[in-house]
Amino acid sequence: MARDLGSLWHPFTQHASWPGDDPIVVERGEGCYLYDTDGNRYLDGVSSLWLSVHGHGVPEIDAAVRDQLGRLAHTTFLGLTHEPGIELAEQLLATAPDGLTRVFFAGDGSSAVEAALKMAYQSRVQRGRPGALFLHVAEGYHGDTLGAVSVGGIDLFHGTYRPILLETRLVGSPGVLGPGQSRAQRAAEVLDEMRAVLAGEDGQVCAVVVEPMVQAAGGMLTHEASFVRGVRALCDEFGALMVVDEVATGIGRTGRMWAVEHAGVAPDLMTCGKGLTGGYLPLSAVLATEEVYAAFLGTPAQGRTFFHGHSYTANPLCCAAAIANLRLIESRETVAHAAWVGERIGELTKGLAEYAGVRELRRIGTMTGIEVEPVAERTGFAVCRAARRRGVWVRPLGDVVVLMPPLAIGDADLELLCGAVDESIREVVR
Ligand SMILES: *Cc1c(COP(=O)(O)O)cnc(C)c1O
């Protein structure tokens, strides 16, 4: 730790309090557990920040990466192609919502969002519709690069940067309810607000960007499927593209392969990341419709090319991990298992949902947020510290305690996770 404190700057970390937070130094991972350098083990209750699918140290994924390493670690994807990239694109499209036919690879969730925003704008321009506004939702989160921050809506994270961001239009969050309001009423209200903006801007909105079914980083704010369907209908009516960010919700997290399946709609552009490589390596993708893709075709001189890419686009090691991950998801029926995990979390947290110290418990599939009554500064953090003493590692979003275990978690570990969090909340929030 002394060496860490002497040299590092961690993401989303207040370094004035970091030394006092007694950080864990992780040495290895196995299954759903992380082991520290003192030999303690912790259940990884948030999948190492929403990534891990089959757990840590999965023999099949390890072997796939090693095998690929024996052939090729990396080559550019600019003007070259390779089998792992092709294979992964085919596998992704085989699972994707109807109409998505093209895969563009990026590195992290944020960079997938950047690519999707540029694709949305450019494809419309090249079809003769030059609108440059993005419409997005309060409490939304799409990553930390400037384009992604521009379509974010969490003041604490994004407010500081407003002067250096793109011009956008913001509507309310479908997951933040007025007093006595139902989720269905709130969805309808935000859709009305969206309609007014789209009508008022008269074709200037090129895309509507949403996290489908749940705004994860905003505090696991769930909303009705009617909201997602309504966004699709408004995009069709006003000629805007529907961009869904499935970086958190995709790859089985909500108990379906993609969260948009709950609503039965298909977007024009869809991002995925986080669980794509099973929590192994950084890789993300944008899936696009043939219509969006076709808008980029032309002679080189026409300049209709998508001038965007990264040094490590479609890195073969990352692709190999993702292919092995998707194969395991299919052969082990991991998405159906994830739906069961979600139901089990629901049962095991029933008592908490009624506890006076809990404001609201929100969940879709395995994505669970337990909003506790603040009793001090950093109440959510205090609950997570108490859980750590019980052998469970979870990280909160403010005063929302997040549970998001690896999709493959079994019943005994789920009981440990939910039991430890239940006791910790009762200990901290009396
Ligand atoms: C985490 C997240 C991102 C950003 O992904 P990174 O890999 O951290 O850049 C984007 N969108 C959503 C919905 C996310 O949850």
Side-chain angles (χ1 to χ4, degrees):
M1 270 319 296
R3 284 169 50 217
D4 177 292
L5 297 176
S7 59
L8 279 169
W9 191 345
H10 288 264
F12 279 89
T13 299
Q14 176 44 259
H15 271 256
S17 46
W18 164 250
D21 287 347
D22 187 23
I24 296 171
V25 184
V26 179
E27 191 175 62
R28 63 191 181 89
E30 196 184 313
C32 292
Y33 288 86
L34 297 170
Y35 293 79
D36 71 11
T37 44
D38 296 325
N40 302 306
R41 76 169 201 172
Y42 304 93
L43 180 63
D44 186 358
V46 289
S47 300
S48 292
L49 256 297
W50 319 350
L51 311 179
S52 185
V53 174
H54 306 285
H56 301 277
V58 184
E60 292 86 345
I61 304 179
D62 293 359
V65 175
R66 270 196 212 104
D67 198 46
Q68 181 57 43
L69 198 47
R71 280 193 299 278
L72 174 71
H74 186 68
T75 177
T76 183
F77 222 45
L78 280 65
L80 291 179
T81 191
H82 50 64
E83 177 70 25
I86 298 165
E87 169 73 24
L88 178 56
E90 288 174 349
Q91 276 194 33
L92 268 176
L93 292 174
T95 73
D98 280 351
L100 297 174
T101 58
R102 298 284 164 177
V103 178
F104 185 92
F105 287 115
D108 292 284
S110 310
S111 59
V113 169
E114 297 292 331
L117 297 178
K118 286 173 72 177
M119 280 175 183
Y121 169 72
Q122 190 178 347
S123 76
R124 285 214 349 152
V125 168
Q126 290 174 182
R127 284 180 287 167
R129 307 197 61 175
L133 287 174
F134 294 99
L135 175 53
H136 60 118
V137 178
E139 306 309 327
Y141 177 82
H142 302 284
D144 300 324
T145 49
L146 287 181
V149 170
S150 298
V151 293
I154 303 176
D155 267 348
L156 178 66
F157 299 165
H158 304 144
T160 307
Y161 306 107
R162 285 284 162 228
I164 55 171
L165 301 180
L166 301 172
E167 193 186 344
T168 63
R169 295 291 178 266
L170 183 75
V171 295
S173 164
V176 177
L177 311 179
Q181 199 175 34
S182 73
R183 283 195 158 66
Q185 286 167 338
R186 181 59 183 158
E189 190 173 69
V190 177
L191 289 168
D192 283 346
E193 200 187 336
M194 248 184 204
R195 166 181 289 282
V197 173
L198 287 162
E201 294 298 344
D202 192 24
Q204 293 309 299
V205 173
C206 66
V208 180
V209 185
V210 294
E211 289 168 86
M213 302 305 291
V214 55
Q215 295 180 289
M220 298 299 149
L221 299 168
T222 56
H223 54 255
E224 292 277 305
S226 61
F227 178 72
V228 182
R229 283 193 289 272
V231 171
R232 177 71 273 177
L234 286 173
C235 286
D236 290 342
E237 184 178 341
F238 290 95
L241 295 175
M242 181 181 187
V243 179
V244 300
D245 181 355
E246 292 252 16
V247 168
T249 52
I251 321 284
R253 269 286 152 208
T254 68
R256 306 291 285 267
M257 186 65 181
W258 307 105
V260 285
E261 293 173 24
H262 294 277
V265 300
D268 300 292
L269 289 159
M270 181 172 94
T271 57
C272 69
K274 290 202 165 103
L276 179 57
T277 62
Y280 265 63
L281 288 162
L283 181 68
S284 64
V286 184
L287 276 60
T289 61
E290 201 65 14
E291 197 184 356
V292 169
Y293 166 80
F296 290 80
L297 301 178
T299 64
Q302 281 178 300
R304 295 167 73 91
T305 305
F306 188 46
F307 292 106
H308 184 106
H310 298 284
S311 306
Y312 286 97
T313 294
N315 172 262
L317 299 172
C318 301
C319 291
I323 291 165
N325 176 44
L326 293 180
R327 286 204 179 122
L328 285 179
I329 286 175
E330 197 180 351
S331 66
R332 295 180 177 174
E333 300 185 20
T334 304
V335 179
H337 180 78
W340 171 84
V341 169
E343 294 302 310
R344 233 5 230 142
I345 293 174
E347 286 163 23
L348 293 167
T349 54
K350 214 179 271 162
L352 269 183
E354 285 149 23
Y355 182 58
V358 169
R359 279 193 176 169
E360 191 176 45
L361 198 152
R362 301 181 284 269
R363 185 184 62 77
I364 176 165
T366 66
M367 302 175 74
T368 312
I370 308 169
E371 187 170 342
V372 297
E373 291 292 344
V375 291
E377 222 181 299
R378 299 216 292 170
T379 303
F381 177 80
V383 169
C384 294
R385 281 311 297 255
R388 179 174 148 181
R389 291 201 318 273
R390 295 173 169 88
V392 165
W393 190 75
V394 281
R395 184 177 162 92
L397 293 160
D399 289 329
V400 178
V401 179
V402 174
L403 309 187
M404 214 194 283
L407 302 188
I409 192 171
D411 205 34
D413 288 338
L414 271 176
E415 282 181 18
L416 170 62
L417 172 64
C418 296
V421 167
D422 184 304
E423 286 173 21
S424 302
I425 289 175
R426 290 172 204 268
E427 176 189 313
V428 172
V429 192
R430 289 175 189 281

